[in-house]
Amino acid sequence: GPTTFRIDAGNTSVTCGDGQRVLDALLRQGVWIPNSCNQGTCGTCKVRVIDGMVTAPPTPDSVLSDAEQQQGYVLSCQSTPITDIAVEPPAAECGERHHLLRDVAGTVGSITAVADDTVSITVSLDEPFEFTAGQYVELSIPGTGQTRPYSMANPPSESATLEFHVRRQPDGLATDRWIFDSLTVGAAVSMTGPWGDFCHQPGEPDVGLILLAGGTGLAPLKSIARAALDADPDREIHVYHGVRTEAELYDVDFWRALETGHPNVRYTPCLSREEWSGRTGYVGDAMMADFDSCRNHSAYLCGPPAMVEAGVRALKRRRMPPRRIKREKYTPAA
Ligand code: FAD
């Protein structure tokens, strides 16, 4: 059979290699569709195939309902064409410019233990890389054919060197068995990116930002905070960082310095499993204690799924309009 297929998407058509995912082909060739986890768990990238056929692993009903499957909807991040196909033209969602997905090569510049089981890694890139604050890359795990998503913590204005925050997952393929085990300074790493629609939107500059992070979910929020302050040093930003114990806290000096340099930045670390001199409990509860209303703010949340869901509930209880709530869940790979 042929080694490439054609994907028609309204006025545009792109080429898809044998075994290439539909989402990957579209994003590389300038057709933007909303996407988030790239691992078949969130459902954001669903598209309707109106002609031709794709193959994909079975999708849970919670991600793609029977009715949707019968109408031809598929997860573009999991589907590979087996004939030429046509998909319903995607509606360009958030009017801003998107960056082409591509392969990126780099070299590890530093690996720093910043807290219990947490490292900060810098990777210098061979070529400039464009992304929007909040987005992530898929790191290739050498020798496995597998990838894992990690968010950039640096702002797009400093993209020659990417910064990542990685937490060890016991027995984890990417973390325990590669990054924490054998990755060294000077090692070559390959990745694809940028992925995701957890994107800082510079619009509504008068609206204060509430950033809710759990663990290494702090990474994209650091990028977003820095990008927002680059645009407006007086921007109102409230960052809540939730971890279990003080030994898991990191980047405290960075956020304290940001508070000192910017009058409207406030940083609130919260410990959920330990008493200390600072705040205790979950980030959503801490935020609710500080705000009577979030009607005039917007929010970005990132971290473990349960933390993100609890944070969204807290913001809604404080009357934040749902369209101003952006979230990224660090769902484990299936
Ligand atoms: P795996 O080999 O995938 O997992 C090993 C075992 O642990 C499996 O049984 C698995 O189900 C279980 N497991 C894995 N993760 C968890 C968990 N969180 N809770 C409970 N059980 C788990 N992580 C970061 O540290 N920094 C980031 O910037 C970051 N960005 C991400 C961005 C996106 C969009 C997503 C979806 C995830 C992100 N993650 C991030 C999570 C990361 O991609 C990996 O899932 C994580 O590092 C574990 O990978 P692993 O290969 O070490 O473990």
Side-chain angles (χ1 to χ4, degrees):
T3 53
T4 64
F5 299 104
R6 205 178 73 206
I7 304 175
D8 286 328
N11 297 328
T12 330
S13 73
V14 306
T15 305
C16 193
D18 203 5
Q20 189 179 10
R21 307 292 166 91
V22 171
L23 178 64
D24 189 282
L26 292 173
L27 295 181
R28 279 176 196 270
Q29 293 165 82
V31 180
W32 170 263
I33 57 172
N35 68 95
S36 177
C37 76
N38 194 32
Q39 54 190 23
T41 49
C42 75
T44 309
C45 70
K46 65 181 83 158
V47 291
R48 188 172 183 189
V49 176
I50 51 182
D51 197 21
M53 280 169 65
V54 299
T55 176
T59 309
D61 209 56
S62 55
V63 182
L64 209 54
S65 70
D66 276 349
E68 286 174 315
Q69 301 199 34
Q70 271 156 30
Q71 290 163 40
Y73 283 95
V74 302
L75 296 185
S76 63
C77 77
Q78 299 294 298
S79 302
T80 50
I82 50 175
T83 66
D84 288 347
I85 64 168
V87 298
E88 213 161 60
E93 243 225 350
C94 48
E96 61 178 346
R97 195 174 147 254
H98 294 288
H99 309 289
L100 293 188
L101 174 69
R102 60 183 187 83
D103 299 324
V104 182
T107 308
V108 176
S110 63
I111 305 176
T112 312
V114 290
D116 265 11
D117 280 335
T118 309
V119 290
S120 174
I121 299 174
T122 60
V123 175
S124 25
L125 299 185
D126 302 347
E127 291 172 37
F129 177 58
E130 292 194 343
F131 67 98
T132 303
Q135 288 190 294
Y136 68 88
V137 293
E138 292 275 1
L139 281 187
S140 301
I141 311 169
T144 66
Q146 297 216 43
T147 65
R148 292 284 185 276
Y150 294 96
S151 311
M152 275 71 77
N154 54 294
S157 58
E158 294 173 17
S159 71
T161 302
L162 303 183
E163 172 185 334
F164 300 103
H165 304 163
V166 181
R167 176 153 179 90
R168 185 206 304 262
Q169 172 66 31
D171 209 33
L173 187 64
T175 59
D176 214 19
R177 291 194 245 153
W178 173 45
I179 293 173
F180 282 80
D181 181 56
S182 57
L183 187 68
T184 53
V185 171
V189 289
S190 50
M191 59 199 125
T192 62
W195 293 95
D197 55 9
F198 185 63
C199 288
H200 171 239
Q201 294 183 300
E204 307 198 75
D206 299 338
V207 173
L209 297 181
I210 296 174
L211 310 180
L212 302 182
T216 48
L218 189 62
L221 302 185
K222 185 178 184 182
S223 179
I224 287 170
R226 293 188 64 194
L229 291 171
D230 280 349
D232 174 9
D234 292 336
R235 188 76 188 262
E236 179 192 340
I237 302 181
H238 306 266
V239 53
Y240 293 86
H241 186 204
V243 293
R244 291 173 302 187
T245 64
E246 195 169 0
E248 291 178 0
L249 267 187
Y250 68 91
D251 265 354
V252 176
D253 293 344
F254 166 83
W255 290 102
R256 293 285 178 225
L258 217 58
E259 278 185 320
T260 306
H262 299 272
N264 298 321
V265 170
R266 207 183 57 200
Y267 163 66
T268 309
C270 304
L271 305 187
S272 62
R273 299 227 189 125
E274 197 174 82
E275 295 294 329
W276 68 320
S277 57
R279 303 282 286 272
T280 54
Y282 295 115
V283 289
D285 296 323
M287 181 282 299
M288 283 204 291
D290 294 344
F291 288 84
D292 292 330
S293 167
C294 295
R295 218 185 279 271
N296 296 316
H297 288 77
S298 57
Y300 295 86
L301 303 93
C302 184
M307 171 264 143
V308 170
E309 282 154 20
V312 168
R313 283 195 299 273
L315 293 162
K316 287 182 175 166
R317 284 176 63 184
R318 289 292 179 265
R319 302 281 178 267
M320 182 173 287
R323 67 183 169 84
R324 292 226 214 98
I325 304 176
K326 305 256 183 310
R327 68 200 84 171
E328 182 89 289
K329 292 180 181 175
Y330 282 178
T331 313

